[in-house]
Every structure is written in C-alpha cells, then in structure tokens.
Amino acid sequence: MKNLRTPIKVIIDTDPGVDDAFAILYALNRPEFEVLGITSIFGNAGIDLCTRNALALLELAGRTDIPVARGLANPLGKSLAEWEEIRQRFPRGAMNVHGDNGLGGAELPEPQVQPIDLPAMDFILETVKRYPGEIVLVPLGRLTNVAAAIIKDRATMEKLAGICLMGGTVRAPGNSTAVAEANIYGDPDAADLVMTLDVPKVMVGLDVTMKAIFHEADTQRLKSFNTKQGNFLVECSRHYDAFYRHHNPHLDGFSIHDVLPFTYLLHPELFEVKDAYVRVETRGRFTTGQTVADLRAFAKDKPNCTVCLDVDHRAVIEDFLETMSKSK
Ligand code: RIB
Ligand code: CA
C-alpha cells in the first residue's frame, strides 16, 4: 500500500469488542487518519450490540459526525439460527472474551445518534465511489460485509487504495482452533473471497498481534493520563485482561490485536513483512479458517497479500500510549 496521502481516508469495519475499542479510539486520536465511517459486523457480540457499541464509542470521543452503518448479522451462506448453533459450539465463546455487552461490562450511555439508513456494504460501496483510489478499508472483524460488497460490485471494490485487516495467522497458533484466527474462522468463505480482490492487502494477524501485549504497567500508565477515553479503556479491559490471564498466563497481559493495522499504516517500518499468495481453507476437516500463505521461495502464484510476520511490539504499545496521552 504505497503513496497514501495523509490524512489517510479510512473506513473501519468492526465488531466492538474491547480491542476494537482500543483501535477505534487510537484511530480517532491520530490526525493522520480521516475516519469516513464505521461499519459494524457481528463477532465479539451480536450485530445489535456491536452497532450500539460503535455509536457509543463515537459519542465518548465526541465524534458523532462520523456515520455508523449497520452490517450483517451472520456469516455468508449461513442463517442466524445456524450461526447461533455454531456460537454454542465455539470452543471459547467470544461473548466470554469481551463480556456480555462486548465491552467487558463497562457501561457507556445509550447513544443518542442512530445508524445511518444504509447497510454497511452499500455505505462502503458509495464511499469508495466518492473517493476512488483513496480509501483504505480497515476490517477488524469477520470479513462478511467486505465480501458482500465484493459480491455486489467487485469493480467498485477494486477502487479501494487497499485493505489492511486484522485477522489470520501464518506461523503463530490459532485462537479459535489450533490453526484458525477468530475473524477468519468466523466466516472463512468471506475471508477467502476477500483474498481474491485485486487491491493491495495487508494481513495483520496473530503472528504480530499476539506479541503486542498490554501489561499491567501499561494499564497503569493509561490510567495516569486520567482522560475520559483512557479511563474507559482501562475499565473495559479488566474482564478481557482476566480472560487472557486465565487462558494465556505466560503473556502477563492482553493483546490489543485491532490497534495493529492502524500502527502498520502509520509505521510500517516497525513490521517485518513478506508478500505471499494467501488463500483461506473453507472446507478442511481440521483446518477450516486457516490462512494458507505460500512462503516458499519457488511459490508459483503471484503474491496477493503482504503478511506481517514480526513486529517491534514494545514500539507499538509505546505509540499507542503516547497517542492516548493526548486524548480527551
Ligand atoms: O482474533 C482477534 C480478533 O477477534 C480481534 O479482532 C478481536 O476483536 C476479535 O474480533
Ligand atoms: Ca475485532
């Protein structure tokens, strides 16, 4: 993704979500980003809660000028009932990671603003038509809205400047299954379709996000800024932190996964990357949702994605804290 003019026009597709909240507030506090809109997607909670949380976070940040478009409620080709059934079988239900309200139980006032009267996929398409070649789409959840927009109008989606997504993994273990990351596992058909779109794509997956750990000392620094937004993040991360400490005690903290696509856009030099041909396993016996990246020196297929393999993880956290120290 080259020669992006700042401010970079972004659309955030998100399922807030504790780490989504970290990412949204980070992006809103960086003048290098012009957030044109937020589209919601099911994932860390159902679509109603995720949409509500997106609106409430914008209100917290005093940015109700940014439109929110409601996204899809279930994966491509699956009914809500089938999705509910999958959710019951989910190895560790997403609701447990992010709490019952998706924001770790932390309360935000009922939003006063409503979502716009346009479904997420149409909002994405209309906005890309308005700014062809200028928009970076930043998906932080299942890729269902993005795939639906591709199915509806691929030619318009090819006018994106790029897609910089949180999802997938190449070398690190999965977090939904042994090999699959949650955003991809939650709708592998959508993710695979996105991989076929002919625009620059960056995959910011668990290989790097599981290194960007927010330790208690970082939480205390965030708290010391004593800003409304920072204090909210401290509160909403408590449940998420406890979840991480239970399941991944060796990490001694929690991952701020969804911040990293934004860090990448501003500081690509912090990341070690490799261009590769990436597709998603959609029908594996044990591997559904695996992002299969051909890293072989003699790979035959033309690379379709830049894959993040390593990161200066402390620099990511420092940059996040520095940004939030200036928040309101
Ligand atoms: O696997 C981590 C991803 O799943 C993050 O985007 C988190 O918010 C959840 O959606
Ligand atoms: Ca997310």
Side-chain angles (χ1 to χ4, degrees), residues 19 92 97 166-176 180-182 204-215 240 243-245 247-260 271 308-311 313-314 316-317:
D19 58 319
R92 308 178 197 156
V97 191
M166 191 282 135
T169 185
V170 176
R171 292 174 176 156
N175 58 0
S176 277
E181 182 280 330
V204 186
L206 300 178
D207 298 287
V208 288
T209 67
M210 285 302 281
K211 291 179 177 154
I213 299 301
F214 215 69
H215 299 290
Y240 184 72
F243 178 91
Y244 264 83
R245 284 179 191 282
H247 288 281
N248 303 285
H250 60 288
L251 295 178
D252 190 30
F254 58 88
S255 164
I256 55 168
H257 301 285
D258 287 344
V259 173
L260 275 77
F271 293 77
C308 294
L309 294 173
D310 207 351
V311 65
H313 51 93
R314 270 322 294 176
V316 170
I317 303 291

Side-chain angles (χ1 to χ4, degrees), residues 61-74:
R63 293 301 309 272
T64 50
D65 56 303
I66 297 174
V68 172
R70 182 186 160 93
L72 294 166
N74 41 274

